[in-house]
Amino acid sequence: MPELPEVEVTRRGIAPALLGARVRSVRLGKPLRWPLGADPATLVGSRVGDVTRRGKYLWLPLDAAGGLLLHLGMSGSLALLQSAPPHGPHDHFDLTTDRGTLRLNDPRRFGAVVWAPAIDANPAATLLARLGAEPFDPALTPAGFHAALQLRRAPIKAVLLAGDVVVGAGNIYACEALFQAGIHPALRADRISRPRAERLLGALRATLARALDLGGSTLRDFTDVHGMSGAYQTSAAVYGREGQACPRCGGAVRRVVQGQRSTFFCPVCQRR
DNA sequence: AGTTAAACCTGGTTGC
DNA sequence: TGCAACCAGGTTTAAC
């Protein structure tokens, strides 16, 4: 599921409700990507601070008890439950507080909940270290973006997905941003001109902002903390629309595989 | 060093 | 209907 918009929608859903909440108990289900790395009992009694986001990770500070780094993987979602119903087969983490239970549901278990003493201490620091710029950070300028792309020979689609230049775009929004920018997904990143890099950065920001407005995309699993689906997927121009008409030129949307992932694009509107 | 496959899992959809 | 093959919002890890 979750690319930056979905993670941010999730963060906005839980942050105000959990700020200052007192942890009552922690329940672990099946193993996630990594072990928690702490005795759940040591978290009990701590207070939740302000939940922040870095890339597709959420950081949930627990004052004296360090904090939790959360990732939703491919199929994860968080719910905030006032009275927690019995857990289902894919509920793998419960953080019960005096303000409700934060529950992670993740069928594929690519997600993670990892404890760290601080966000800049391991293992959180290592996981966050390789992340690129936040897409809405004003410090990320067209010139800086272009300069970073000049160092990469991989296809621009792969570079966007790698997230080490700019974070936030996953498979849906990388495809959509490239369509909006009129750039062919197989174009080498270092062959993108300065004006086109500027256009791509604008397209990426616009795509992510629009998805955020629509509550993200729900292909199958994703819901916000109240169980609501996102709506972006119905307005996608190319993603998931192989063979359908390009909304700009009417030609057929194509699907190719790049780096083991499907890429959707319009061969007419998107140029090398 | 930098790019590309393999791996982690489950479940829904497609095709024979 | 049954079953195999393929596909899916990600990213670390190992291998060219």
Side-chain angles (χ1 to χ4, degrees), chain A residues 143-224:
Chain A
F145 184 54
H146 180 241
L149 295 184
Q150 288 299 109
L151 302 174
R152 305 294 294 270
R153 289 183 237 189
I156 182 60
K157 163 78 182 319
V159 171
L160 288 178
L161 278 188
D164 49 0
V165 172
V166 57
V167 296
N171 210 27
I172 297 177
Y173 304 120
C175 290
E176 293 296 310
L178 286 167
F179 171 78
Q180 193 178 321
I183 295 173
H184 196 291
L187 178 61
R188 276 171 48 158
D190 61 353
R191 305 260 255 261
I192 294 178
S193 67
R194 163 64 205 266
R196 295 187 91 196
E198 180 161 359
R199 190 164 176 213
L200 178 56
L201 181 58
L204 177 64
R205 286 171 165 161
T207 300
L208 295 175
R210 171 161 168 71
L212 204 45
D213 282 346
L214 291 173
S217 297
T218 299
L219 296 190
R220 174 165 295 130
D221 302 293
F222 177 71
T223 63
D224 70 15

Side-chain angles (χ1 to χ4, degrees), chain A residues 106-141:
Chain A
D106 184 3
R108 292 179 73 179
R109 290 192 281 130
F110 290 171
V113 181
V114 177
W115 178 84
I119 193 172
D120 56 358
N122 280 333
T126 302
L127 292 171
L128 300 178
R130 58 191 95 200
L131 299 185
E134 282 293 323
F136 295 109
D137 185 348
L140 177 62
T141 62

